[in-house]
PDB file of all heavy atoms in Angstrom:
ATOM      1  N   TYR A  95      -5.516  32.805  -4.757  1.00 87.00           N
ATOM      2  CA  TYR A  95      -4.751  33.932  -4.261  1.00 87.00           C
ATOM      3  C   TYR A  95      -5.029  35.134  -5.111  1.00 87.00           C
ATOM      4  O   TYR A  95      -4.891  35.117  -6.327  1.00 87.00           O
ATOM      5  CB  TYR A  95      -3.244  33.626  -4.270  1.00 87.00           C
ATOM      6  CG  TYR A  95      -2.890  32.439  -3.419  1.00 87.00           C
ATOM      7  CD1 TYR A  95      -2.684  31.189  -3.980  1.00 87.00           C
ATOM      8  CD2 TYR A  95      -2.765  32.532  -2.050  1.00 87.00           C
ATOM      9  CE1 TYR A  95      -2.352  30.072  -3.219  1.00 87.00           C
ATOM     10  CE2 TYR A  95      -2.454  31.435  -1.273  1.00 87.00           C
ATOM     11  CZ  TYR A  95      -2.251  30.226  -1.866  1.00 87.00           C
ATOM     12  OH  TYR A  95      -1.908  29.144  -1.089  1.00 87.00           O
ATOM     13  N   HIS A  96      -5.443  36.228  -4.460  1.00 87.00           N
ATOM     14  CA  HIS A  96      -5.673  37.490  -5.153  1.00 87.00           C
ATOM     15  C   HIS A  96      -4.344  38.235  -5.176  1.00 87.00           C
ATOM     16  O   HIS A  96      -3.959  38.883  -4.208  1.00 87.00           O
ATOM     17  CB  HIS A  96      -6.774  38.314  -4.465  1.00 87.00           C
ATOM     18  CG  HIS A  96      -8.082  37.600  -4.510  1.00 87.00           C
ATOM     19  ND1 HIS A  96      -8.899  37.635  -5.588  1.00 87.00           N
ATOM     20  CD2 HIS A  96      -8.683  36.813  -3.583  1.00 87.00           C
ATOM     21  CE1 HIS A  96      -9.969  36.924  -5.367  1.00 87.00           C
ATOM     22  NE2 HIS A  96      -9.864  36.393  -4.154  1.00 87.00           N
ATOM     23  N   THR A  97      -3.610  38.081  -6.257  1.00 84.00           N
ATOM     24  CA  THR A  97      -2.268  38.595  -6.373  1.00 84.00           C
ATOM     25  C   THR A  97      -2.282  39.971  -6.987  1.00 84.00           C
ATOM     26  O   THR A  97      -3.283  40.460  -7.477  1.00 84.00           O
ATOM     27  CB  THR A  97      -1.390  37.655  -7.229  1.00 84.00           C
ATOM     28  OG1 THR A  97      -1.751  37.857  -8.616  1.00 84.00           O
ATOM     29  CG2 THR A  97      -1.558  36.198  -6.846  1.00 84.00           C
ATOM     30  N   TYR A  98      -1.097  40.553  -7.002  1.00 81.00           N
ATOM     31  CA  TYR A  98      -0.916  41.869  -7.648  1.00 81.00           C
ATOM     32  C   TYR A  98      -1.270  41.756  -9.127  1.00 81.00           C
ATOM     33  O   TYR A  98      -1.646  42.750  -9.744  1.00 81.00           O
ATOM     34  CB  TYR A  98       0.556  42.298  -7.470  1.00 81.00           C
ATOM     35  CG  TYR A  98       0.877  43.647  -8.019  1.00 81.00           C
ATOM     36  CD1 TYR A  98       0.559  44.817  -7.310  1.00 81.00           C
ATOM     37  CD2 TYR A  98       1.507  43.785  -9.267  1.00 81.00           C
ATOM     38  CE1 TYR A  98       0.841  46.055  -7.826  1.00 81.00           C
ATOM     39  CE2 TYR A  98       1.792  45.016  -9.783  1.00 81.00           C
ATOM     40  CZ  TYR A  98       1.466  46.179  -9.086  1.00 81.00           C
ATOM     41  OH  TYR A  98       1.740  47.414  -9.581  1.00 81.00           O
ATOM     42  N   HIS A  99      -1.150  40.572  -9.713  1.00 85.00           N
ATOM     43  CA  HIS A  99      -1.393  40.358 -11.136  1.00 85.00           C
ATOM     44  C   HIS A  99      -2.735  39.693 -11.422  1.00 85.00           C
ATOM     45  O   HIS A  99      -2.981  39.276 -12.563  1.00 85.00           O
ATOM     46  CB  HIS A  99      -0.271  39.514 -11.722  1.00 85.00           C
ATOM     47  CG  HIS A  99       1.082  40.143 -11.566  1.00 85.00           C
ATOM     48  ND1 HIS A  99       1.536  41.160 -12.385  1.00 85.00           N
ATOM     49  CD2 HIS A  99       2.060  39.934 -10.650  1.00 85.00           C
ATOM     50  CE1 HIS A  99       2.746  41.516 -11.977  1.00 85.00           C
ATOM     51  NE2 HIS A  99       3.083  40.821 -10.931  1.00 85.00           N
ATOM     52  N   GLY A 100      -3.600  39.615 -10.444  1.00 90.00           N
ATOM     53  CA  GLY A 100      -4.906  39.005 -10.648  1.00 90.00           C
ATOM     54  C   GLY A 100      -5.065  37.714  -9.826  1.00 90.00           C
ATOM     55  O   GLY A 100      -4.230  37.346  -9.024  1.00 90.00           O
ATOM     56  N   LEU A 101      -6.155  36.987 -10.067  1.00 94.00           N
ATOM     57  CA  LEU A 101      -6.475  35.764  -9.356  1.00 94.00           C
ATOM     58  C   LEU A 101      -5.629  34.612  -9.876  1.00 94.00           C
ATOM     59  O   LEU A 101      -5.626  34.304 -11.058  1.00 94.00           O
ATOM     60  CB  LEU A 101      -7.957  35.439  -9.494  1.00 94.00           C
ATOM     61  CG  LEU A 101      -8.415  34.159  -8.781  1.00 94.00           C
ATOM     62  CD1 LEU A 101      -8.344  34.335  -7.293  1.00 94.00           C
ATOM     63  CD2 LEU A 101      -9.831  33.813  -9.224  1.00 94.00           C
ATOM     64  N   TRP A 102      -4.905  33.944  -8.996  1.00 94.00           N
ATOM     65  CA  TRP A 102      -4.114  32.762  -9.324  1.00 94.00           C
ATOM     66  C   TRP A 102      -4.629  31.614  -8.508  1.00 94.00           C
ATOM     67  O   TRP A 102      -4.764  31.716  -7.299  1.00 94.00           O
ATOM     68  CB  TRP A 102      -2.613  32.959  -9.080  1.00 94.00           C
ATOM     69  CG  TRP A 102      -1.916  33.904  -9.986  1.00 94.00           C
ATOM     70  CD1 TRP A 102      -2.435  34.558 -11.075  1.00 94.00           C
ATOM     71  CD2 TRP A 102      -0.563  34.339  -9.851  1.00 94.00           C
ATOM     72  NE1 TRP A 102      -1.478  35.321 -11.642  1.00 94.00           N
ATOM     73  CE2 TRP A 102      -0.344  35.215 -10.947  1.00 94.00           C
ATOM     74  CE3 TRP A 102       0.444  34.037  -9.003  1.00 94.00           C
ATOM     75  CZ2 TRP A 102       0.915  35.826 -11.128  1.00 94.00           C
ATOM     76  CZ3 TRP A 102       1.702  34.636  -9.154  1.00 94.00           C
ATOM     77  CH2 TRP A 102       1.924  35.536 -10.253  1.00 94.00           C
ATOM     78  N   ARG A 103      -4.868  30.474  -9.118  1.00 95.00           N
ATOM     79  CA  ARG A 103      -5.325  29.266  -8.435  1.00 95.00           C
ATOM     80  C   ARG A 103      -4.257  28.185  -8.494  1.00 95.00           C
ATOM     81  O   ARG A 103      -3.551  28.072  -9.486  1.00 95.00           O
ATOM     82  CB  ARG A 103      -6.599  28.721  -9.061  1.00 95.00           C
ATOM     83  CG  ARG A 103      -7.794  29.645  -8.980  1.00 95.00           C
ATOM     84  CD  ARG A 103      -9.043  28.963  -9.556  1.00 95.00           C
ATOM     85  NE  ARG A 103     -10.131  29.912  -9.710  1.00 95.00           N
ATOM     86  CZ  ARG A 103     -10.969  30.205  -8.725  1.00 95.00           C
ATOM     87  NH1 ARG A 103     -10.836  29.683  -7.532  1.00 95.00           N
ATOM     88  NH2 ARG A 103     -11.978  31.064  -8.921  1.00 95.00           N
ATOM     89  N   TYR A 104      -4.185  27.440  -7.412  1.00 92.00           N
ATOM     90  CA  TYR A 104      -3.341  26.221  -7.335  1.00 92.00           C
ATOM     91  C   TYR A 104      -4.246  25.121  -6.875  1.00 92.00           C
ATOM     92  O   TYR A 104      -4.997  25.289  -5.869  1.00 92.00           O
ATOM     93  CB  TYR A 104      -2.194  26.420  -6.344  1.00 92.00           C
ATOM     94  CG  TYR A 104      -1.194  27.483  -6.749  1.00 92.00           C
ATOM     95  CD1 TYR A 104      -1.440  28.818  -6.477  1.00 92.00           C
ATOM     96  CD2 TYR A 104      -0.009  27.123  -7.384  1.00 92.00           C
ATOM     97  CE1 TYR A 104      -0.506  29.788  -6.849  1.00 92.00           C
ATOM     98  CE2 TYR A 104       0.914  28.105  -7.729  1.00 92.00           C
ATOM     99  CZ  TYR A 104       0.645  29.430  -7.473  1.00 92.00           C
ATOM    100  OH  TYR A 104       1.561  30.383  -7.844  1.00 92.00           O
ATOM    101  N   PHE A 105      -4.225  23.971  -7.555  1.00 94.00           N
ATOM    102  CA  PHE A 105      -5.165  22.900  -7.173  1.00 94.00           C
ATOM    103  C   PHE A 105      -4.667  21.516  -7.567  1.00 94.00           C
ATOM    104  O   PHE A 105      -3.847  21.360  -8.450  1.00 94.00           O
ATOM    105  CB  PHE A 105      -6.532  23.187  -7.732  1.00 94.00           C
ATOM    106  CG  PHE A 105      -6.584  23.515  -9.205  1.00 94.00           C
ATOM    107  CD1 PHE A 105      -6.972  22.557 -10.136  1.00 94.00           C
ATOM    108  CD2 PHE A 105      -6.245  24.781  -9.663  1.00 94.00           C
ATOM    109  CE1 PHE A 105      -7.056  22.854 -11.483  1.00 94.00           C
ATOM    110  CE2 PHE A 105      -6.300  25.098 -11.025  1.00 94.00           C
ATOM    111  CZ  PHE A 105      -6.702  24.152 -11.922  1.00 94.00           C
ATOM    112  N   THR A 106      -5.200  20.529  -6.844  1.00 95.00           N
ATOM    113  CA  THR A 106      -4.876  19.130  -7.109  1.00 95.00           C
ATOM    114  C   THR A 106      -6.069  18.510  -7.784  1.00 95.00           C
ATOM    115  O   THR A 106      -7.210  18.717  -7.366  1.00 95.00           O
ATOM    116  CB  THR A 106      -4.577  18.358  -5.790  1.00 95.00           C
ATOM    117  OG1 THR A 106      -3.546  19.080  -5.078  1.00 95.00           O
ATOM    118  CG2 THR A 106      -4.093  16.947  -6.089  1.00 95.00           C
ATOM    119  N   VAL A 107      -5.820  17.732  -8.816  1.00 95.00           N
ATOM    120  CA  VAL A 107      -6.923  17.148  -9.620  1.00 95.00           C
ATOM    121  C   VAL A 107      -6.850  15.635  -9.562  1.00 95.00           C
ATOM    122  O   VAL A 107      -5.774  15.026  -9.664  1.00 95.00           O
ATOM    123  CB  VAL A 107      -6.818  17.652 -11.094  1.00 95.00           C
ATOM    124  CG1 VAL A 107      -7.863  16.973 -11.952  1.00 95.00           C
ATOM    125  CG2 VAL A 107      -6.958  19.136 -11.162  1.00 95.00           C
ATOM    126  N   ASP A 108      -7.983  15.002  -9.384  1.00 93.00           N
ATOM    127  CA  ASP A 108      -8.089  13.556  -9.519  1.00 93.00           C
ATOM    128  C   ASP A 108      -8.157  13.253 -11.011  1.00 93.00           C
ATOM    129  O   ASP A 108      -9.210  13.110 -11.595  1.00 93.00           O
ATOM    130  CB  ASP A 108      -9.331  13.042  -8.777  1.00 93.00           C
ATOM    131  CG  ASP A 108      -9.389  11.541  -8.668  1.00 93.00           C
ATOM    132  OD1 ASP A 108      -8.535  10.884  -9.347  1.00 93.00           O
ATOM    133  OD2 ASP A 108     -10.279  11.014  -7.984  1.00 93.00           O
ATOM    134  N   ASP A 109      -6.943  13.174 -11.593  1.00 92.00           N
ATOM    135  CA  ASP A 109      -6.859  13.019 -13.081  1.00 92.00           C
ATOM    136  C   ASP A 109      -6.459  11.593 -13.460  1.00 92.00           C
ATOM    137  O   ASP A 109      -6.057  11.374 -14.587  1.00 92.00           O
ATOM    138  CB  ASP A 109      -5.897  14.065 -13.643  1.00 92.00           C
ATOM    139  CG  ASP A 109      -4.485  14.005 -13.015  1.00 92.00           C
ATOM    140  OD1 ASP A 109      -4.207  13.062 -12.242  1.00 92.00           O
ATOM    141  OD2 ASP A 109      -3.680  14.905 -13.310  1.00 92.00           O
ATOM    142  N   GLY A 110      -6.549  10.678 -12.501  1.00 90.00           N
ATOM    143  CA  GLY A 110      -6.249   9.289 -12.797  1.00 90.00           C
ATOM    144  C   GLY A 110      -4.782   8.933 -12.605  1.00 90.00           C
ATOM    145  O   GLY A 110      -4.397   7.739 -12.765  1.00 90.00           O
ATOM    146  N   ASP A 111      -3.957   9.888 -12.231  1.00 89.00           N
ATOM    147  CA  ASP A 111      -2.505   9.621 -12.085  1.00 89.00           C
ATOM    148  C   ASP A 111      -2.096   9.195 -10.690  1.00 89.00           C
ATOM    149  O   ASP A 111      -0.933   8.891 -10.449  1.00 89.00           O
ATOM    150  CB  ASP A 111      -1.694  10.859 -12.506  1.00 89.00           C
ATOM    151  CG  ASP A 111      -1.698  11.062 -14.008  1.00 89.00           C
ATOM    152  OD1 ASP A 111      -2.003  10.087 -14.743  1.00 89.00           O
ATOM    153  OD2 ASP A 111      -1.363  12.175 -14.446  1.00 89.00           O
ATOM    154  N   ILE A 112      -3.017   9.242  -9.713  1.00 93.00           N
ATOM    155  CA  ILE A 112      -2.681   8.886  -8.328  1.00 93.00           C
ATOM    156  C   ILE A 112      -3.245   7.505  -7.994  1.00 93.00           C
ATOM    157  O   ILE A 112      -4.450   7.299  -7.999  1.00 93.00           O
ATOM    158  CB  ILE A 112      -3.235   9.932  -7.322  1.00 93.00           C
ATOM    159  CG1 ILE A 112      -2.665  11.338  -7.641  1.00 93.00           C
ATOM    160  CG2 ILE A 112      -2.903   9.520  -5.901  1.00 93.00           C
ATOM    161  CD1 ILE A 112      -3.306  12.447  -6.866  1.00 93.00           C
ATOM    162  N   ASP A 113      -2.343   6.564  -7.699  1.00 93.00           N
ATOM    163  CA  ASP A 113      -2.719   5.185  -7.377  1.00 93.00           C
ATOM    164  C   ASP A 113      -2.035   4.780  -6.106  1.00 93.00           C
ATOM    165  O   ASP A 113      -0.944   4.211  -6.063  1.00 93.00           O
ATOM    166  CB  ASP A 113      -2.324   4.234  -8.519  1.00 93.00           C
ATOM    167  CG  ASP A 113      -2.601   2.774  -8.186  1.00 93.00           C
ATOM    168  OD1 ASP A 113      -3.292   2.480  -7.218  1.00 93.00           O
ATOM    169  OD2 ASP A 113      -2.092   1.894  -8.924  1.00 93.00           O
ATOM    170  N   LEU A 114      -2.686   5.074  -4.950  1.00 93.00           N
ATOM    171  CA  LEU A 114      -2.081   4.791  -3.630  1.00 93.00           C
ATOM    172  C   LEU A 114      -2.145   3.298  -3.260  1.00 93.00           C
ATOM    173  O   LEU A 114      -1.619   2.931  -2.215  1.00 93.00           O
ATOM    174  CB  LEU A 114      -2.746   5.652  -2.566  1.00 93.00           C
ATOM    175  CG  LEU A 114      -2.437   7.130  -2.618  1.00 93.00           C
ATOM    176  CD1 LEU A 114      -3.255   7.932  -1.626  1.00 93.00           C
ATOM    177  CD2 LEU A 114      -0.949   7.399  -2.402  1.00 93.00           C
ATOM    178  N   VAL A 115      -2.717   2.504  -4.089  1.00 92.00           N
ATOM    179  CA  VAL A 115      -2.707   1.072  -3.851  1.00 92.00           C
ATOM    180  C   VAL A 115      -1.308   0.522  -4.173  1.00 92.00           C
ATOM    181  O   VAL A 115      -0.772  -0.349  -3.465  1.00 92.00           O
ATOM    182  CB  VAL A 115      -3.790   0.324  -4.664  1.00 92.00           C
ATOM    183  CG1 VAL A 115      -3.657  -1.166  -4.542  1.00 92.00           C
ATOM    184  CG2 VAL A 115      -5.151   0.801  -4.232  1.00 92.00           C
ATOM    185  N   HIS A 116      -0.680   1.025  -5.204  1.00 93.00           N
ATOM    186  CA  HIS A 116       0.568   0.456  -5.692  1.00 93.00           C
ATOM    187  C   HIS A 116       1.799   1.333  -5.565  1.00 93.00           C
ATOM    188  O   HIS A 116       2.912   0.859  -5.766  1.00 93.00           O
ATOM    189  CB  HIS A 116       0.403   0.050  -7.173  1.00 93.00           C
ATOM    190  CG  HIS A 116      -0.649  -0.943  -7.389  1.00 93.00           C
ATOM    191  ND1 HIS A 116      -1.901  -0.601  -7.874  1.00 93.00           N
ATOM    192  CD2 HIS A 116      -0.689  -2.254  -7.169  1.00 93.00           C
ATOM    193  CE1 HIS A 116      -2.665  -1.694  -7.960  1.00 93.00           C
ATOM    194  NE2 HIS A 116      -1.942  -2.711  -7.549  1.00 93.00           N
ATOM    195  N   SER A 117       1.633   2.630  -5.297  1.00 95.00           N
ATOM    196  CA  SER A 117       2.786   3.543  -5.342  1.00 95.00           C
ATOM    197  C   SER A 117       2.790   4.538  -4.202  1.00 95.00           C
ATOM    198  O   SER A 117       1.746   4.888  -3.666  1.00 95.00           O
ATOM    199  CB  SER A 117       2.765   4.312  -6.669  1.00 95.00           C
ATOM    200  OG  SER A 117       2.798   3.433  -7.804  1.00 95.00           O
ATOM    201  N   HIS A 118       4.015   5.054  -3.916  1.00 96.00           N
ATOM    202  CA  HIS A 118       4.197   6.166  -3.001  1.00 96.00           C
ATOM    203  C   HIS A 118       4.351   7.416  -3.858  1.00 96.00           C
ATOM    204  O   HIS A 118       4.963   7.397  -4.938  1.00 96.00           O
ATOM    205  CB  HIS A 118       5.486   5.998  -2.159  1.00 96.00           C
ATOM    206  CG  HIS A 118       5.433   4.882  -1.216  1.00 96.00           C
ATOM    207  ND1 HIS A 118       4.507   4.804  -0.180  1.00 96.00           N
ATOM    208  CD2 HIS A 118       6.214   3.773  -1.082  1.00 96.00           C
ATOM    209  CE1 HIS A 118       4.715   3.688   0.531  1.00 96.00           C
ATOM    210  NE2 HIS A 118       5.736   3.049   0.002  1.00 96.00           N
ATOM    211  N   TYR A 119       3.842   8.552  -3.329  1.00 96.00           N
ATOM    212  CA  TYR A 119       3.889   9.809  -4.073  1.00 96.00           C
ATOM    213  C   TYR A 119       4.512  10.900  -3.244  1.00 96.00           C
ATOM    214  O   TYR A 119       4.511  10.862  -2.028  1.00 96.00           O
ATOM    215  CB  TYR A 119       2.463  10.245  -4.475  1.00 96.00           C
ATOM    216  CG  TYR A 119       1.881   9.335  -5.536  1.00 96.00           C
ATOM    217  CD1 TYR A 119       1.298   8.168  -5.162  1.00 96.00           C
ATOM    218  CD2 TYR A 119       1.953   9.662  -6.871  1.00 96.00           C
ATOM    219  CE1 TYR A 119       0.745   7.302  -6.124  1.00 96.00           C
ATOM    220  CE2 TYR A 119       1.437   8.807  -7.844  1.00 96.00           C
ATOM    221  CZ  TYR A 119       0.829   7.651  -7.453  1.00 96.00           C
ATOM    222  OH  TYR A 119       0.313   6.818  -8.401  1.00 96.00           O
ATOM    223  N   LEU A 120       5.041  11.941  -3.922  1.00 95.00           N
ATOM    224  CA  LEU A 120       5.595  13.111  -3.283  1.00 95.00           C
ATOM    225  C   LEU A 120       4.913  14.336  -3.901  1.00 95.00           C
ATOM    226  O   LEU A 120       4.797  14.444  -5.117  1.00 95.00           O
ATOM    227  CB  LEU A 120       7.121  13.149  -3.567  1.00 95.00           C
ATOM    228  CG  LEU A 120       7.919  14.234  -2.895  1.00 95.00           C
ATOM    229  CD1 LEU A 120       7.855  14.121  -1.361  1.00 95.00           C
ATOM    230  CD2 LEU A 120       9.382  14.193  -3.359  1.00 95.00           C
ATOM    231  N   VAL A 121       4.467  15.210  -3.026  1.00 91.00           N
ATOM    232  CA  VAL A 121       3.777  16.416  -3.477  1.00 91.00           C
ATOM    233  C   VAL A 121       4.152  17.619  -2.643  1.00 91.00           C
ATOM    234  O   VAL A 121       4.507  17.454  -1.456  1.00 91.00           O
ATOM    235  CB  VAL A 121       2.227  16.206  -3.466  1.00 91.00           C
ATOM    236  CG1 VAL A 121       1.716  16.052  -2.060  1.00 91.00           C
ATOM    237  CG2 VAL A 121       1.499  17.316  -4.173  1.00 91.00           C
ATOM    238  N   ILE A 122       4.157  18.807  -3.231  1.00 90.00           N
ATOM    239  CA  ILE A 122       4.398  20.054  -2.521  1.00 90.00           C
ATOM    240  C   ILE A 122       3.080  20.802  -2.407  1.00 90.00           C
ATOM    241  O   ILE A 122       2.298  20.895  -3.373  1.00 90.00           O
ATOM    242  CB  ILE A 122       5.411  20.976  -3.290  1.00 90.00           C
ATOM    243  CG1 ILE A 122       6.786  20.305  -3.374  1.00 90.00           C
ATOM    244  CG2 ILE A 122       5.540  22.316  -2.596  1.00 90.00           C
ATOM    245  CD1 ILE A 122       7.770  21.081  -4.166  1.00 90.00           C
TER     246      ILE A 122
END
Side-chain angles (χ1 to χ4, degrees):
Y95 300 99
H96 296 280
T97 75
Y98 183 80
H99 301 281
L101 180 69
W102 290 355
R103 297 184 189 276
Y104 295 83
F105 50 103
T106 307
V107 175
D108 189 351
D109 56 9
D111 287 342
I112 302 171
D113 176 12
L114 289 174
V115 173
H116 300 102
S117 302
H118 293 299
Y119 291 83
L120 185 62
V121 66
I122 296 178

